[in-house]
């Protein structure tokens, strides 16, 4: 028995296959673009937060404690937006981690879902100690 498929059916099947491929490509592109945008936002926020921490130090002769860093009332004096953006994912359960070992030293770690600019995917950090006195 010979199976005969009409031209219209062949055209419909090929159109559906092309549409499925295009939908898959668009979906993958959207996901990659979203991750790239999140990484850019996190990296920018980290750079701005580093500047804010330096300004805090200039005002207070110390870096904020972890409790102060979590306090919006305090940090909004130095940042235009707080709390910091958070985009949890499998590779980055949180976007930021702030630690202060003493009043003169801090580490602001930030996790990027993909590389962005000079930063690699995964955890990156800004750290600083008391600036040298000239």
């Amino acid at each position: 028995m010979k199976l005969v498929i009409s031209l219209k059916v062949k055209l419909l099947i090929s159109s559906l296959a092309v549409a499925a491929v295009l939908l898959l490509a668009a979906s993958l592109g959207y996901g990659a673009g979203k991750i790239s945008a999140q990484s850019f936002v996190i990296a920018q926020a980290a750079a701005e937060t580093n500047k804010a921490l330096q300004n805090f130090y200039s005002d207070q002769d110390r870096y904020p404690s972890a409790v102060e860093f979590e306090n919006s009332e305090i940090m909004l004096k130095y940042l235009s937006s707080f709390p910091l953006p958070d985009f949890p994912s499998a590779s980055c359960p949180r976007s930021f981690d702030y630690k202060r070992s003493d009043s003169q030293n801090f580490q602001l770690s930030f996790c990027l879902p993909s590389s962005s600019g000079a930063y690699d995917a995964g955890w990156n950090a800004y750290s600083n100690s008391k600036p040298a006195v000239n």
Side-chain angles (χ1 to χ4, degrees), residues 20 34 36 49 62 73 79 94 117 120 123 125 128 133:
K34 181 179 175 184
S36 179
T49 303
R62 65 181 180 84
E73 289 181 27
L79 290 164
R94 64 188 180 287
D120 294 329
W123 286 100
N128 207 346
V133 178

Side-chain angles (χ1 to χ4, degrees), residues 52 56 68-84:
F56 185 100
E68 289 172 316
F69 183 79
E70 294 296 325
N71 187 325
S72 293
E73 289 181 27
I74 294 171
M75 294 310 294
L76 281 173
K77 294 176 184 174
Y78 299 94
L79 290 164
S80 61
S81 178
F82 196 84
L84 299 174

Side-chain angles (χ1 to χ4, degrees), residues 10-130:
K10 288 180 183 178
L11 184 58
L12 178 63
I13 291 172
S14 63
S15 296
L16 288 174
V18 168
V21 169
L22 289 174
L23 182 61
L24 179 62
S27 176
L28 292 173
Y30 172 77
K34 181 179 175 184
I35 289 171
S36 179
Q38 288 174 347
S39 293
F40 178 78
V41 168
I42 292 167
Q44 291 293 95
E48 290 299 317
T49 303
N50 183 52
K51 290 177 189 174
L53 291 168
Q54 300 311 317
N55 291 334
F56 185 100
Y57 185 89
S58 293
D59 290 348
Q60 307 283 334
D61 281 334
R62 65 181 180 84
Y63 292 107
S65 68
V67 171
E68 289 172 316
F69 183 79
E70 294 296 325
N71 187 325
S72 293
E73 289 181 27
I74 294 171
M75 294 310 294
L76 281 173
K77 294 176 184 174
Y78 299 94
L79 290 164
S80 61
S81 178
F82 196 84
L84 299 174
D86 192 26
F87 302 106
S89 67
S91 59
C92 296
R94 64 188 180 287
S95 298
F96 291 92
D97 185 41
Y98 175 79
K99 293 181 181 166
R100 185 185 86 164
S101 58
D102 58 54
S103 65
Q104 304 300 305
N105 297 289
F106 79 90
Q107 180 170 329
L108 176 67
S109 301
F110 55 102
C111 190
L112 302 178
S114 68
S115 61
S116 181
Y119 303 109
D120 294 329
W123 286 100
N124 297 271
Y126 283 106
S127 61
N128 207 346
S129 60
K130 183 178 175 183

